[in-house]
Every structure is written in C-alpha cells, then in structure tokens.
Amino acid sequence: MIPKKIITPIVLAGIFCFMLGLSFAAVPLYDLFCRVTGFGGTTQVSNDIPNVVLDKKISVRFDTNVNKLSWNFNVKKNVIDVKIGQVSRAEFEVENYGKETTYGVASFNVSPSSFGKYFSKIGCFCFEKQKLEAGEKARYILTFYLDPEIVNDLSTKNTKDVTLSYTFFSSEY
C-alpha cells in the first residue's frame, strides 16, 4: 500500500495539470460552442446555399460604426427584406478621410442573439485586416442567407427583423 504522503502530492499535481490543460482548451472550446449554437449572436460560415427558399421575409437592418479610425463606414441600404433561404448581398462603403494609411478590422454582432445560428455568411470582409490609403475609398460586400431552419425554432420562428451591427476597429498589427 502506498502511503498518503506520496499519493496526495501526486493527486494534487494531476489536478493541477488537468486544470492547466483546461485553461488552454477553454478558448477553442468556447469558440466551437459559439459557432455550433450561435451563442452571443455568433453567425455561421457556409460554403453551400440552401435548396429551399421560403415565402416568408425578414427585414435585415445594418448598423455601421467606427472605433478609433478616421474612416467613414456606411451601408448602401440600411434595411433589406430577405426571403428565408435566398442568397442576399449587402454593399458597404468605406472611406479613409485621414492624412495617412490606416488599417482596420471589422467585427459584427447579430441581434437578437438567438438568430445568430441561422444567419449564414457565404462571403464577408469581417475579421480580415483592411488597408486604406489616405483619401482612399473601398467597397465591401457581405453575401449571406437566412437558414430555412429558422422557422422550426420556437425562439426565432416569429422573428420579423434582425440587426447586424458592424464596427471597424483600428488594427496596426
């Protein structure tokens, strides 16, 4: 029989190693959880388009913001009515009105957050570093669809409008 004086430190070291491993795994596991469930308004990324287009329409509102950049950031149409399952596009315009080259990264959020798992992006400029020279203008396109499964979820079944909010943040890295 092994004495308690030897077992206790071994068990404590094992618990420490297990907790250390969990702390490193927490970020990728949380990211996976958000992408699978749409938690916190996390949208989906899709390579396929749905086979079904429903007659039901949902109004998609776009909100644009800039944080610590000398940029104008606007969407061409603030609201578009989208048929569920139909591939849609939104066009954004960005202008650097500053006197030097700057870099930005756009992040987004979907509200209501329960809608995030049904908002599928096919093409997006978000989370990619964008460079604008002084006085330069650029156009960015978001291509997306609303997953037809939205009508089978009790929390989103009666949703009539959704807001997609984009914010460009300064990124010098």
Side-chain angles (χ1 to χ4, degrees):
M1 178 168 220
I2 302 173
K4 286 185 179 180
K5 289 182 179 180
I6 295 174
I7 292 178
T8 301
I10 291 173
V11 168
L12 290 174
I15 291 171
F16 172 77
C17 291
F18 177 72
M19 297 299 283
L20 184 65
L22 277 180
S23 69
F24 282 104
V27 171
L29 288 175
Y30 181 73
D31 183 55
L32 177 65
F33 171 77
C34 289
R35 292 201 184 284
V36 169
T37 64
F39 181 76
T42 302
T43 62
Q44 306 302 306
V45 176
S46 178
N47 293 326
D48 301 323
I49 58 173
N51 298 329
V52 177
V53 176
L54 305 177
D55 279 336
K56 182 178 178 182
K57 287 186 179 182
I58 293 181
S59 291
V60 179
R61 299 176 191 286
F62 296 97
D63 175 45
T64 57
N65 303 286
V66 178
N67 186 357
K68 297 184 181 175
L69 282 168
S70 54
W71 291 11
N72 285 323
F73 176 42
N74 298 300
V75 63
K76 277 208 166 183
K77 289 181 80 174
N78 288 339
V79 179
I80 57 174
D81 291 329
V82 176
K83 281 188 176 183
I84 295 174
Q86 179 181 10
V87 175
S88 301
R89 293 169 40 116
E91 187 175 333
F92 297 82
E93 295 173 334
V94 183
E95 178 183 7
N96 179 357
Y97 61 84
K99 296 181 190 234
E100 59 187 44
T101 301
T102 51
Y103 301 86
V105 175
S107 68
F108 63 90
N109 191 17
V110 175
S111 182
S113 60
S114 60
F115 198 88
K117 64 182 171 182
Y118 301 108
F119 195 100
S120 297
K121 297 178 298 176
I122 297 171
C124 185
F125 57 93
C126 45
F127 302 117
E128 295 176 4
K129 187 175 179 179
Q130 308 295 337
K131 173 185 174 184
L132 286 179
E133 303 283 342
E136 182 181 4
K137 293 180 183 180
R139 189 181 80 156
Y140 301 123
I141 303 293
L142 166 67
T143 307
F144 67 96
Y145 67 88
L146 308 178
D147 191 328
E149 284 297 313
I150 193 171
V151 297
N152 298 326
D153 186 335
L154 294 177
S155 66
T156 56
K157 184 178 184 173
N158 296 317
T159 302
K160 297 200 185 314
D161 64 335
V162 63
T163 300
L164 188 61
S165 181
Y166 276 94
T167 301
F168 255 112
F169 292 94
S170 175
S171 175
E172 297 301 324
Y173 303 103

